[in-house]
Structures are given as structure tokens and as C-alpha cells.
Amino acid sequence: TVNADINSSTGHITLMAADAISINADVSTADSGTISIDAQGSDLVMAGTSDITATDSSVRLSAASNIALGNITAMDVSVLADAGSITNAVGSTMNVSAMNLRLAADDAIATNARHLTTTVDTLSALSTGTDTAGIFITETDHLTVGSVAVSVTQMNADASTTVMTDGAQSGLTTLSNNGDIVLSTVNGVIVINQGVVAQGAGNILLAANGSNNDLTVNADINSSTGHITLMAADAISINADVSTADSGTISIDAQGS
């Protein structure tokens, strides 16, 4: 349990627990220093007011079960919930601010009522959907759906270090339980460079909102039988396939061009 700030000027920070980790204060480093936090037996819970900051570097959060996100700022961020969900902690102002964000959860990533909030350049997200499924993201500005890998340096008890890498993960995917995918911007362009796939009757919404913002589709978008909605405040360019089947419908709306 972290109730007071943890800081290294430029060094690596590793927090590990055999069970759960609760973060009720700030954790920070900078330059080449990375942050690795691993709740090996249970949940990793950040208070909504807690900040994890690795200026110009990487943050990796891993938990055996669920992860609740406060506010994370870094160049590269990976969040891995091995047997649970990733949620937006009450009181958070911006869950992740980063260049690259990799999200992977055995269950859902956020909920339809409370999205994860991001300010990132490139996003990849996977919801396996063992018990619950879905991906729900609200991005502040411009976003590319692409491929993301993240590495951090973990400190060991003998002061040696080990590089931990979450390998390249691409696109937005739900694998079971009819998981929906919702990605919208407050005021920004969306570019789809890697596939968007919703399993079963999972629906897909991609919405580039705001002023004069486009949606560009450079990779396939597919739902097995769910509805697909593509919206943009300005233009939509489709350079790949968009498909569903059975009762699934497709709606594409370029509202400004």
C-alpha cells in the first residue's frame, strides 16, 4: 500500500506484491527511468487522484486480476490485467497521457457508462472477454489505431535489472462474449492502421468528433454479426474492407464533407 509519494530523479522504480497493490499517492521518475508495478496475486488499484509519471520513458502496470487507473503520464504505457478488467478510477482526470498505449485485459476494458480517457498518439487494445468483454475509449484529440510494444526495466533484489517487454500488439479486438468496441474523440482525427475486430454480435463505433476532423480507414473493420457505425465531423476515407453479417448493419456518416 502506497500512501506517500515515491520518486527517483532518473532511476527505475519497481513495485511488486505477492497479492494486491493500492496506490494512494504519486510515483514518478524521468529521462530513462521506467516504472514497473506488478500485483502478482490480486488487484492493482490506483486512487483517482494518484499520478504515475515517467517523463520521456515507459510505465508498465500488471495485475493478476483487475486494474483501476488513476492518471498515468509517460512516452509508452502498457496495462495488463491477466484475469480481470481495466477500469477508470473515480476522480481520475485523464487515465493515460502518452505517445503509445497498449491495453490488454482478460475481461472488459472500461464500461459503456465510464470510458477510459486518453490523450495518446497510438493505441492498441485487446479484450479477451472471458467473463465480460468490450473496449470503451474516449480520446481527447488525434489518434491512430496501430501496433504498440512497451518495455520497462525491472529492479531485482540484488540490484541487477531485467528488461520486461510486452510484445507488439495490433489493432482493437474483442475475442468473445459479443464484446463491443467504442472509440471516439472529443476533438480529433482517427486513423485506423491496424484492424478492428468485434467477436460475435459485438457492435463497433468509431467516431471522429469535434471540428473538421476526419476518419481514415486503412485496415479492415469487422464484426461477426454486430452493427458497425463510422462517423466523422468532416470526411471519411475508406481504403480497406468493412464487414458484418446476418442482422448486423453498417452506417457510415461523413457529416462535414
Side-chain angles (χ1 to χ4, degrees), residues 67 69 84-89 95 103 105 107-118 125-127 132-138 180 182:
I67 297 178
L69 295 181
S85 60
I86 300 170
T87 57
N88 180 347
N95 292 129
L103 301 168
D107 290 323
I109 297 173
T111 68
N112 60 347
R114 187 167 178 82
H115 292 195
L116 290 189
T117 57
T118 65
L126 169 66
S127 169
T132 62
I135 298 169
F136 303 93
I137 308 287
T138 297
D180 296 330
V182 177

Side-chain angles (χ1 to χ4, degrees), residues 20-92:
I21 295 179
S22 298
I23 300 178
N24 306 309
D26 298 340
V27 181
S28 61
T29 187
D31 294 341
S32 59
T34 64
I35 297 175
S36 175
I37 303 178
D38 188 3
Q40 298 172 345
S42 187
D43 298 338
L44 194 168
V45 178
M46 294 179 65
T49 55
S50 294
D51 297 325
I52 294 176
T53 304
T55 305
D56 299 326
S57 192
S58 301
V59 170
R60 180 179 188 267
L61 304 185
S62 177
S65 297
N66 304 299
I67 297 178
L69 295 181
N71 311 290
I72 302 171
T73 301
M75 289 288 288
D76 302 314
V77 174
S78 178
V79 182
L80 175 61
D82 286 334
S85 60
I86 300 170
T87 57
N88 180 347
V90 174
S92 170

Side-chain angles (χ1 to χ4, degrees), residues 77 79 100-104 109 120 122-127 135 137 143-149 167-173 194-195:
V77 174
V79 182
N100 303 296
L101 174 58
R102 183 187 191 276
L103 301 168
I109 297 173
V120 303
T122 304
L123 169 69
S124 174
L126 169 66
S127 169
I135 298 169
I137 308 287
L143 175 71
T144 296
V145 173
S147 179
V148 179
Q169 175 183 279
S170 299
L172 306 178
T173 305
Q194 296 288 339

Side-chain angles (χ1 to χ4, degrees), residues 161-200:
T161 59
T162 302
V163 175
M164 304 289 292
T165 298
D166 292 329
Q169 175 183 279
S170 299
L172 306 178
T173 305
T174 60
L175 292 180
S176 60
N177 271 325
N178 305 307
D180 296 330
I181 297 173
V182 177
L183 173 62
S184 63
T185 60
V186 176
N187 186 13
V189 166
I190 296 176
V191 178
I192 306 297
N193 282 341
Q194 296 288 339
V196 178
V197 179
Q199 184 273 340

Side-chain angles (χ1 to χ4, degrees), residues 168-244:
Q169 175 183 279
S170 299
L172 306 178
T173 305
T174 60
L175 292 180
S176 60
N177 271 325
N178 305 307
D180 296 330
I181 297 173
V182 177
L183 173 62
S184 63
T185 60
V186 176
N187 186 13
V189 166
I190 296 176
V191 178
I192 306 297
N193 282 341
Q194 296 288 339
V196 178
V197 179
Q199 184 273 340
N203 301 311
I204 297 172
L205 168 63
L206 304 176
N209 297 311
S211 178
N212 300 317
N213 290 310
D214 299 340
L215 170 63
T216 301
V217 178
N218 294 325
D220 292 352
I221 298 172
N222 171 261
S223 174
S224 300
T225 61
H227 304 298
I228 298 174
T229 302
L230 308 181
M231 302 173 64
D234 196 32
I236 296 178
S237 299
I238 299 179
N239 307 308
D241 298 338
V242 181
S243 61
T244 186

